[in-house]
Amino acid sequence: MKNRVEELRKKLGMNQEDFAKAIKVSRQTVSSIETGKYNPSLELAFVISDFFGESIENIFIHERSGENEKE
Amino acid sequence: MKKSNLITGFIYLIAGVILLLIAIFTNTKLDSLLCGFAGVGIGPGLMIIFKYFYWNKPENKKRYQEKSEKEAIELHDELNIKLRDKSGHYAYVYGIIVICFSIVVFSILGQLEIITHSGIILLYLGAYLIFQLVIGRIIYNHLLKRYR
């Protein structure tokens, strides 16, 4: 899943190590999230959203298939 | 480091020394095993005691704090947990395959009389295979209860 985590992290002038410490995950997890290789759990997504002060939908870009969306 | 670590280290060390003394002053067929167990107690026991005094030095306390925090994060990191669970699952599946293959190999070796007492080996492997399958099912059902 595409996301703006790297963009928002760099805006705050943080490196991956410091950001990982702040949200209490490993640096590898941060790297995997930023490259889209790993989708965080709902709980971690909320932690990231609270950290940046933005909504989850603004940070994580879900490519909707359109099948389940209401018209 | 907590004082309980020091106590654990001393328990390991004392247990290892006792086993070593038993191995030295008795003459049984289990002497080599006792020496092995003694090593398991003395080695780690000394390491734990050394680590306790090393990390409790004032100049090392800050480094220990950082190390502990990093270890706690690595332990509870969700990606690490997911990978550990996945690797455990694969290890379980491959383990089952290896046991089945071993049963076949030992059966053939026993039938060809290349090894003796293959019966007891086959009995152990068979029982271990059944145990793995049953315990896997039991744990799955137990975990599923949480979601009902």
Side-chain angles (χ1 to χ4, degrees):
Chain A
M1 190 188 291
K2 289 180 187 166
N3 59 75
R4 296 173 53 226
V5 174
E6 187 179 357
E7 175 201 324
L8 294 167
R9 173 180 61 80
K10 283 179 176 174
K11 237 185 189 176
L12 294 177
M14 292 178 93
N15 60 23
Q16 284 186 343
E17 188 78 44
D18 293 337
F19 178 58
K21 260 191 203 165
I23 60 171
K24 293 190 172 43
V25 295
S26 66
R27 196 202 58 76
Q28 294 97 313
T29 301
V30 169
S31 172
S32 299
I33 291 171
E34 289 182 355
T35 53
K37 287 179 185 169
Y38 173 68
N39 294 329
S41 66
L42 193 57
E43 202 179 325
L44 182 56
F46 271 111
V47 167
I48 294 170
S49 147
D50 288 344
F51 183 82
F52 289 127
E54 296 213 19
S55 68
I56 290 180
E57 291 86 353
N58 274 353
I59 300 173
F60 296 97
I61 299 137
H62 183 229
E63 287 158 14
R64 295 172 201 276
S65 63
E67 284 175 13
N68 294 328
E69 279 191 32
K70 290 180 188 174
E71 288 182 20
Chain B
M1 255 185 140
K2 293 181 199 171
K3 212 155 210 154
S4 58
N5 290 86
L6 182 65
I7 293 167
T8 305
F10 272 116
I11 290 172
Y12 270 78
L13 182 64
I14 291 165
V17 168
I18 289 171
L19 287 172
L20 187 63
L21 291 172
I22 293 171
I24 290 170
F25 292 114
T26 61
N27 190 16
T28 66
K29 287 180 182 175
L30 296 176
D31 278 351
S32 57
L33 257 177
L34 287 171
C35 287
F37 288 136
V40 165
I42 293 169
L46 285 172
M47 274 305 296
I48 292 168
I49 292 165
F50 171 77
K51 275 184 178 177
Y52 176 84
F53 288 110
Y54 178 78
W55 288 116
N56 274 357
K57 281 184 187 173
E59 61 266 29
N60 292 329
K61 273 196 170 161
K62 193 188 173 190
R63 266 177 54 221
Y64 179 71
Q65 179 78 4
E66 285 169 6
K67 178 176 155 334
S68 297
E69 279 170 12
K70 195 173 182 186
E71 275 174 8
I73 286 173
E74 292 288 333
L75 189 64
H76 296 111
D77 176 70
E78 62 177 51
L79 181 58
N80 283 349
I81 290 171
K82 190 175 176 178
L83 292 175
R84 277 198 293 267
D85 287 347
K86 218 171 184 176
S87 60
H89 171 73
Y90 282 122
Y92 170 76
V93 170
Y94 290 136
I96 299 274
I97 291 168
V98 166
I99 294 171
C100 293
F101 182 70
S102 301
I103 289 172
V104 169
V105 167
F106 277 102
S107 299
I108 293 169
L109 290 176
Q111 286 297 312
L112 295 175
E113 293 177 357
I114 294 171
I115 56 166
T116 55
H117 307 294
S118 62
I120 199 145
I121 296 170
L122 287 170
L123 200 66
Y124 176 78
L125 286 173
Y128 185 55
L129 176 65
I130 292 167
F131 171 77
Q132 284 282 78
L133 294 170
V134 168
I135 199 78
R137 193 73 217 174
I138 290 171
I139 292 171
Y140 175 81
N141 288 340
H142 174 73
L143 292 173
L144 192 59
K145 277 183 192 169
R146 280 194 214 166
Y147 298 95
R148 285 195 178 141

